[in-house]
Amino acid sequence: MKTIAALLNVLFLLVVTNCFSQKLNTPELGFEYACVSNGYNSFQATFSFDEKSFEADNVFYVELSDQNGGFNNPAILQTVKDQNYAFEFKSSFALPESVSGEGYQIRLRSTSPVLVSEASAMFDAYVISGKELILNNYSDVNLCGAGTATIELNVDVADEYVWYKNGELYKLTQENSLAISEPGEYYVEPYYGNCTGSNYSNLVIAKEVEEFAVSVSASKDAEDCSATTLTLTASVDNENYSYSWFKNDTKIEGLTGYFPSIELDYNSENIGAYYVEVENQGGCTAVSDIYSFQQNKGTVVEVTSPLNAVIIGDHRATLSIKTDSSASEITWYKDGQLLKEGYNSNTLMVADQGDYYAMVSGASQCDGTTKSQTFKIYEPVSYKVQISTTKDFTPCVSTQASLSLSSVQGILSNGDMITIAQEFYNNFQMQWNYDQEIVGQSTELNIDYTKSGTYDLELSYQGKVYESNSIAMTMGLPNMELVVEKELSCATAKGILRVDSPIEGAVYNWYNDGSLIATNDVNSLSVAKDGVYKVEVSYAGCSLTTASVTLKREASELVAVYPGETVTIGPNGVVQANATGGNSYQWINEHGEVLSEVSTLNIIQPGVYTLIATAGSCIVEKTLTVDANMVENIPNVVSPNNDTVNDKWTLPQKFINDPETEVVICDAYGATVLKTTSYDNNWPSSTTQFTSQTPVYYYFINKNGKNVKKGSITLVN
């Protein structure tokens, strides 16, 4: 056994040794750096492994790291399936067109078994753009004095750029543009690591050009209002320079080129701020100061009253203006004709319709005369009247409501309509009509439930009447209550019902137990029948139903029977029934036989007995049920098997229905199962649970707190 175990250990060590001795060697690159271009993207490396061949199903993958040498998400460059027995092989591959960096590595990975080689040496890998690099659009640069200029490539093809000045390295940037302030010869090439130098831009020459300044002068004094024209001239005059004139920061079209001066006439269109921009042959630009041309501005006139106004009756419209300076003269015009009124006044009262405006002359000779906006004054030729109800009005619900004049619109001679302000309402006479009856003369009218009907409003002005729209008001009825004015009783044959809030002209529908019994126009009714009563009140198209009331003759309470409605007769016993409260009595047995016509009846046998008594005009009928209890002794055996024989523990009558007698039953363990002062011969009940086949119970009968009987009760089947 020891020999076999030793042999197995040796075999295990051999297997382990064979599994872990197989190794993928570090790839050997066939290049120092990889410059990928449109015409070239093929690179080679040598791969090898030791000790033994790979499985037939093995696959080799040539993998590429990221630009920092990381293999978290390697790119597969080549798949090799036919070199499992070669021990050394070469493989060519293409690099992704996204490579851009100096820290790439490759490795070899196998699938059967799963092995990964060490990473190769790091190498630069860049994709060289094939686009033409044009710097500053092939244009040289002029530097004006201490100014700067920016030169820029036409494309952005690399993460970094190498700039050269006068053939020497000048600056490294991440942008494809460069700000320069010194003269020299500039060009740029993308930075591609060891691949740099394979693509570069054209040469741009920057030269320094002398700066210059420019100003603007006017041919005449700006305050000379008698001048008809004004000439603005640039201080620099060179036919080889380019001039651009600006007004209010906007370039004036048609004034670019050789225009060292411009001419302006005195009108409002030329008022503004002017300056000139001059560019010399070297590309340097000078901008002048601003010259403000503000003559013939005119007086500013602002309207301070509504441009549209209405005149009605004695009401006049007030027109008003204000100016930005002291005016030398103000004149008012109506329909183009000069008015005598309002001279040199900022306000004008008018009583006629028409178009009005003011002419304002300025205080200085340069201000000129300014016309105000036009006021339009109207007097309507007719009116449209509109009335409305309060927002919370609901037909047949609201008991109070208001009608009001909601709007008056004036119709002008041209057909236009304008809204008349409330301040003019006092010029009209108003008349509210209710079913052709005058009920008010103001802008509002309050109505209640008694005034359902159709309403309108008439406006009178200068002998003419203008009618509003009509509104039909259906008012709700007020809360009403049905009251019992007189109850039904045995002494009175009829009761009286009454609605507490009568409405003249209303119709009353009377109901008893849901059935219509009467319809009339008064708010009361005599009734002779018990039941539930209600009334539906209808008025002016609306109705309301009162809450119900109940009428009932309580005759049964007038007559009483002793000892009650249920009586039990014992052995050899007699029960005497006694009636009180009636005027006459009649006792009848189950067969309809009259047994007595007085208030008392001696009963000796079980049965159902009926008493018919009169009390006033009422007839009262009561029933007396008589049962028999012939038990003389207290039983000590009960068989609750539902055979109607000895099913219950039945006591003699003297212990029944006596509030001074207490019956207590306990089980064999002393627990109380029944305790009552009104025992009804109904124990045990059907729900009683028995814990043994023949249970024994114990009873105690107490009278006024003292025990008078006790014993045992055995339950048997």
Side-chain angles (χ1 to χ4, degrees):
M1 293 296 291
K2 292 182 178 179
T3 302
I4 295 175
L7 181 60
L8 289 175
N9 287 334
V10 171
L11 291 175
F12 175 74
L13 290 173
L14 289 174
V15 171
V16 171
T17 301
N18 287 337
C19 288
F20 286 94
S21 64
Q22 196 168 14
K23 178 184 178 182
L24 294 175
N25 297 320
T26 303
E28 297 179 5
L29 301 177
F31 55 92
E32 292 183 9
Y33 48 85
C35 302
V36 180
S37 63
N38 290 336
Y40 186 80
N41 190 5
S42 179
F43 303 91
Q44 191 179 72
T46 301
F47 304 94
S48 62
F49 51 89
D50 297 335
E51 297 299 332
K52 59 178 296 185
S53 302
F54 279 80
E55 302 293 336
D57 60 347
N58 175 64
V59 177
F60 291 112
Y61 292 101
V62 179
E63 297 180 335
L64 176 69
S65 72
D66 59 25
Q67 62 183 0
N68 298 313
F71 284 93
N72 290 333
N73 187 23
I76 297 176
L77 302 180
Q78 188 63 273
T79 301
V80 180
K81 300 181 179 180
D82 57 354
Q83 299 295 330
N84 294 322
Y85 311 102
F87 291 97
E88 181 178 302
F89 61 91
K90 296 181 183 295
S91 179
S92 297
F93 48 83
L95 295 176
E97 293 186 358
S98 60
V99 292
S100 177
E102 302 175 10
Y104 288 99
Q105 294 176 285
I106 64 171
R107 70 183 184 184
L108 186 66
R109 176 171 60 87
S110 64
T111 61
S112 180
V114 176
L115 296 175
V116 179
S117 75
E118 295 291 333
S120 71
M122 288 188 176
F123 59 91
D124 295 2
Y126 287 90
V127 175
I128 309 302
S129 172
K131 296 180 180 179
E132 183 180 7
L133 303 182
I134 302 173
L135 182 60
N136 210 47
N137 199 24
Y138 295 116
S139 299
D140 291 335
V141 176
N142 291 325
L143 298 174
C144 298
T148 62
T150 299
I151 54 178
E152 184 177 2
L153 273 178
N154 61 319
V155 292
D156 189 3
V157 295
D159 296 330
E160 291 183 293
Y161 294 88
V162 183
W163 295 87
Y164 296 87
K165 176 187 174 185
N166 298 330
E168 296 181 357
L169 179 64
Y170 177 63
K171 189 173 291 187
L172 187 68
T173 68
Q174 293 181 337
E175 296 81 24
N176 65 337
S177 61
L178 180 68
I180 60 174
S181 60
E182 300 175 355
E185 296 179 350
Y186 295 87
Y187 74 93
V188 65
E189 62 181 354
Y191 178 76
Y192 292 138
N194 285 315
C195 299
T196 304
S198 57
N199 194 9
Y200 49 86
S201 74
N202 56 294
L203 190 68
V204 171
I205 300 175
K207 296 183 295 183
E208 191 172 27
V209 181
E210 184 180 356
E211 287 185 296
F212 70 101
V214 66
S215 61
V216 171
S217 62
S219 60
K220 294 182 181 181
D221 187 354
E223 294 296 330
D224 186 3
C225 297
S226 62
T228 58
T229 60
L230 178 72
T231 301
L232 300 180
T233 303
S235 61
V236 176
D237 188 346
N238 189 320
E239 63 181 6
N240 294 317
Y241 289 3
S242 177
Y243 297 78
S244 296
W245 288 88
F246 293 81
K247 173 190 172 185
N248 298 333
D249 292 327
T250 301
K251 190 174 183 179
I252 302 175
E253 297 295 332
L255 291 180
T256 301
Y258 178 59
F259 289 96
S261 64
I262 61 173
E263 189 176 273
L264 306 173
D265 59 6
Y266 281 88
N267 62 57
S268 59
E269 294 180 356
N270 288 331
I271 295 174
Y274 291 83
Y275 66 90
V276 66
E277 183 180 283
V278 183
E279 183 180 357
N280 64 15
Q281 290 175 299
C284 291
T285 301
V287 180
S288 74
D289 53 349
I290 294 175
Y291 181 87
S292 295
F293 183 42
Q294 298 178 344
Q295 297 309 302
N296 288 339
K297 62 179 182 178
T299 301
V300 176
V301 179
E302 181 182 351
V303 169
T304 56
S305 64
L307 290 175
N308 297 320
V310 175
I311 53 173
I312 297 175
D314 297 332
H315 180 81
R316 293 188 176 190
T318 300
L319 315 182
S320 63
I321 61 171
K322 72 176 182 178
T323 65
D324 64 341
S325 63
S326 298
S328 62
E329 185 180 52
I330 299 176
T331 53
W332 289 89
Y333 291 79
K334 173 182 179 291
D335 297 333
Q337 300 297 316
L338 178 64
L339 296 175
K340 296 180 181 180
E341 300 83 6
Y343 179 72
N344 272 351
S345 174
N346 287 353
T347 60
L348 178 69
M349 301 287 291
V350 299
D352 298 318
Q353 67 177 3
D355 294 344
Y356 295 80
Y357 60 88
M359 296 295 295
V360 181
S361 299
S364 72
Q365 59 179 345
C366 295
D367 287 342
T369 301
T370 303
K371 178 184 176 182
S372 74
Q373 291 178 274
T374 300
F375 301 89
K376 292 186 176 294
I377 309 302
Y378 303 101
E379 183 170 12
V381 296
S382 64
Y383 298 91
K384 181 180 179 181
V385 185
Q386 190 76 19
I387 62 174
S388 62
T389 64
T390 50
K391 293 182 179 179
D392 56 353
F393 170 72
T394 303
C396 281
V397 175
S398 302
T399 59
Q400 301 285 335
S402 295
L403 291 170
S404 63
L405 173 58
S406 58
S407 69
V408 179
Q409 291 183 305
I411 302 174
L412 307 180
S413 57
N414 62 357
D416 291 344
M417 298 183 69
I418 59 173
T419 299
I420 306 301
Q422 293 185 6
E423 62 188 84
F424 296 108
Y425 285 0
N426 59 357
N427 292 287
F428 301 101
Q429 291 182 344
M430 302 186 187
Q431 176 178 296
W432 289 95
N433 299 316
Y434 161 63
D435 291 343
Q436 299 182 349
E437 175 188 350
I438 300 174
V439 291
Q441 294 180 327
S442 64
T443 57
E444 291 192 4
L445 180 67
N446 296 322
I447 59 177
D448 59 22
Y449 70 92
T450 64
K451 295 294 184 181
S452 292
T454 302
Y455 291 82
D456 63 67
L457 177 63
E458 291 182 356
L459 256 60
S460 299
Y461 177 68
Q462 293 184 347
K464 294 183 179 179
V465 177
Y466 304 96
E467 293 185 357
S468 73
N469 55 306
S470 297
I471 297 181
M473 300 294 291
T474 307
M475 304 299 293
L477 303 183
N479 289 331
M480 288 176 277
E481 184 179 357
L482 180 60
V483 297
V484 179
E485 192 170 273
K486 187 177 182 181
E487 296 278 2
L488 285 174
S489 69
C490 296
T492 58
K494 291 187 177 182
I496 298 177
L497 301 175
R498 178 175 56 84
V499 178
D500 66 342
S501 300
I503 300 176
E504 184 178 353
V507 175
Y508 299 85
N509 294 315
W510 301 84
Y511 293 85
N512 174 256
D513 293 336
S515 299
L516 180 66
I517 59 171
T519 299
N520 56 28
D521 57 359
V522 294
N523 67 317
S524 63
L525 182 70
S526 296
V527 295
K529 185 179 179 182
D530 291 1
V532 178
Y533 288 86
K534 64 181 178 180
V535 182
E536 179 189 60
V537 184
S538 299
Y539 179 75
C542 296
S543 62
L544 180 146
T545 301
T546 67
S548 300
V549 299
T550 301
L551 291 182
K552 184 178 181 181
R553 291 184 176 90
E554 300 297 339
S556 61
E557 297 180 358
L558 299 176
V559 177
V561 176
Y562 181 83
E565 297 181 356
T566 303
V567 180
T568 303
I569 299 176
N572 302 318
V574 176
V575 172
Q576 185 180 69
N578 185 31
T580 60
N583 302 119
S584 64
Y585 305 94
Q586 189 177 64
W587 294 90
I588 303 173
N589 64 12
E590 295 172 308
H591 305 293
E593 299 172 345
V594 177
L595 304 179
S596 172
E597 292 186 348
V598 295
S599 60
T600 59
L601 175 66
N602 292 323
I603 303 172
I604 59 175
Q605 60 183 11
V608 177
Y609 298 86
T610 301
L611 170 66
I612 299 176
T614 61
S617 60
C618 296
I619 298 176
V620 180
E621 183 175 314
K622 294 201 171 187
T623 301
L624 180 64
T625 302
V626 180
D627 297 323
N629 182 359
M630 300 304 171
V631 176
E632 296 183 0
N633 299 314
I634 298 175
N636 57 8
V637 176
V638 177
S639 59
N641 55 8
N642 294 323
D643 63 354
T644 70
V645 179
N646 201 26
D647 286 335
K648 303 294 182 181
W649 187 55
T650 304
L651 296 179
Q653 185 59 33
K654 62 181 178 179
F655 300 121
I656 305 301
N657 293 327
D658 184 357
E660 296 179 351
T661 300
E662 179 184 53
V663 177
V664 179
I665 299 177
C666 301
D667 62 15
Y669 302 99
T672 301
V673 298
L674 178 68
K675 185 176 183 180
T676 180
T677 56
S678 57
Y679 183 66
D680 57 0
N681 287 336
N682 197 34
W683 185 87
S685 65
S686 59
T687 59
T688 300
Q689 300 295 321
F690 306 119
T691 58
S692 62
Q693 186 174 2
T694 308
V696 176
Y697 290 82
Y698 299 92
Y699 69 87
F700 303 89
I701 299 177
N702 305 318
K703 180 76 171 181
N704 293 324
K706 295 182 180 181
N707 181 256
V708 294
K709 291 288 183 180
K710 60 183 178 180
S712 63
I713 309 170
T714 301
L715 302 185
V716 298
N717 291 330

